[in-house]
Amino acid sequence: MKNMVISDFKAKCIAVLKTAQHDGEPITITWHGHPIARVEPILGKAAPRKLGALKGMMRIKGDLVHASSSSDWEMNR
């Protein structure tokens, strides 16, 4: 695993991300010698998202346009 100082990472962020993806090796970002983050490539190809994949999973109750929450609150006098 490679180590990189945070100032170098900030200056070369895009190149570091491309290198991590190409090499497949994680890079640890350090600040004052202490590790604070790790950049890891995502291996494999992400599955494409399908439009409408969540159809039927939710139900809308009530009116979204004219929603009134006045009955949910009380006024103290």
Side-chain angles (χ1 to χ4, degrees), residues 2 13 37 47 62 65 70 75:
K2 297 177 185 177
C13 180
V65 177
S70 60
M75 181 181 238

Side-chain angles (χ1 to χ4, degrees), residues 36-49:
I36 60 167
R38 182 172 49 214
V39 176
E40 294 183 5
I42 297 176
L43 303 176
K45 195 171 187 178
R49 300 174 96 190

Side-chain angles (χ1 to χ4, degrees), residues 9-73:
F9 177 73
K10 184 179 175 183
K12 304 171 185 175
C13 180
I14 302 289
V16 170
L17 295 175
K18 287 181 180 181
T19 301
Q21 183 66 34
H22 182 265
D23 296 346
E25 184 179 353
I27 300 168
T28 302
I29 310 302
T30 61
W31 187 43
H32 296 291
H34 301 290
I36 60 167
R38 182 172 49 214
V39 176
E40 294 183 5
I42 297 176
L43 303 176
K45 195 171 187 178
R49 300 174 96 190
K50 294 183 180 179
L51 186 61
L54 297 177
K55 184 177 180 180
M57 298 293 288
M58 296 183 272
R59 189 174 351 152
I60 298 173
K61 293 183 176 182
D63 188 359
L64 293 177
V65 177
H66 300 99
S68 174
S69 62
S70 60
S71 63
D72 296 337
W73 298 92

